[in-house]
Amino acid sequence: MTTDDLLELLRRHLPEIRASLTPAQFSGFQDSVLRLRAAGDDARAVRAALRGVRLALRPLPRENELRRKLDQFRGPAPSAVLPDADRLADLIRLLESVDWPTLDPASAEIARAVRDRLLTAPARGPEQLTGAAAENPAGAGLIRLADPERGDRYPDFQFDPDTGEPRPVVQRINRMLLSDQDPWGAADWWLGGNTWLRDAPAALVGQVPDARLTEAAAALLGDGGW
């Protein structure tokens, strides 16, 4: 699949993207596409911008059709990485003309179901954190999920069961996944099924080499493609 194929996919699914993202998330998606334009003919910068597009769309629910297509996307060959200027300009014009709508009921229900699923995972409250993590959870690279009933929750897989300290591999991957900006997307990666690992990454912490988990996260971000 070429970069132009990806641009066409985004153009066709733009109404769906608009309906599934919050205003802040949609603004981040717009910015990522603008960075693609700013990359010009620099293939390396284009690949970095494409990774940014993928990160910006990671908040899409895993059940979302576009999200599934993006998860199957394979980076373009070097000869096909540069986008067609007219096609990119057309996408940007569409993005700039978007009127922000109210989230439609179906998309809202999907988003609610995803959050409810993530909040059922074992987690601890802020009073159970220790050391540097207790003083600055975000700085410690921890995923914080806001539960409307119980307050802040920190999924248990992030912590060593013996010491209670954050696992270094989880902290490293959380930062790769920008968990401070998108904690739900990061939690969904850890707790959802992963075709690359053949299991949920959270279930494999301490069971497989840390490098394998890191490689799986890098594959999501496109370090092997886009």
Side-chain angles (χ1 to χ4, degrees):
M1 182 182 288
T2 69
T3 299
D4 288 340
D5 292 333
L6 174 63
L7 294 179
E8 177 61 21
L9 183 67
L10 297 178
R11 188 190 66 78
R12 286 192 284 108
H13 286 271
L14 185 56
E16 183 180 347
I17 295 171
R18 181 182 63 178
S20 299
L21 301 183
T22 68
Q25 290 168 344
F26 189 76
S27 178
F29 168 61
Q30 288 177 307
D31 289 344
S32 70
V33 177
L34 291 175
R35 285 194 292 274
L36 182 58
R37 180 175 64 182
D41 294 335
D42 185 335
R44 184 174 181 179
V46 168
R47 288 187 181 278
L50 289 171
R51 288 196 292 272
V53 171
R54 187 167 190 170
L55 280 172
L57 292 176
R58 211 180 60 232
L60 290 173
R62 189 177 295 275
E63 296 84 354
N64 181 280
E65 179 186 358
L66 175 60
R67 168 71 181 268
R68 292 198 299 269
K69 290 180 178 179
L70 290 173
D71 286 346
Q72 297 167 2
F73 185 86
R74 295 294 177 267
S79 61
V81 70
L82 298 181
D84 176 79
D86 291 337
R87 191 184 296 267
L88 178 56
D90 181 54
L91 176 60
I92 290 173
R93 279 194 298 271
L94 288 173
L95 284 170
E96 292 175 341
S97 68
V98 164
D99 292 323
W100 183 252
T102 301
L103 190 65
D104 68 89
S107 295
E109 182 59 32
I110 290 174
R112 199 159 37 242
V114 170
R115 293 196 175 204
D116 288 347
R117 170 172 59 80
L118 296 175
L119 287 172
T120 63
R124 58 191 66 187
E127 72 282 356
Q128 295 173 279
L129 304 185
T130 61
E135 296 177 10
N136 185 5
L142 294 177
I143 294 171
R144 175 184 64 84
L145 303 179
D147 188 319
E149 297 181 359
R150 297 177 294 171
D152 291 344
R153 308 298 295 168
Y154 298 86
D156 273 346
F157 70 83
Q158 301 180 103
F159 305 94
D160 185 295
D162 296 323
T163 66
E165 293 297 311
R167 296 176 183 266
V169 64
V170 174
Q171 292 174 296
R172 179 166 61 253
I173 291 175
N174 282 349
R175 292 187 174 106
M176 291 171 61
L177 298 177
L178 304 180
S179 63
D180 57 329
Q181 300 177 35
D182 178 23
W184 298 100
D188 192 34
W189 182 82
W190 280 106
L191 295 167
N194 185 288
T195 55
W196 207 84
L197 294 168
R198 301 181 184 277
D199 203 346
L204 299 175
V205 179
Q207 306 300 314
V208 301
D210 290 353
R212 182 161 175 76
L213 292 171
T214 304
E215 289 168 1
L220 168 70
L221 302 179
D223 287 356
W226 65 289

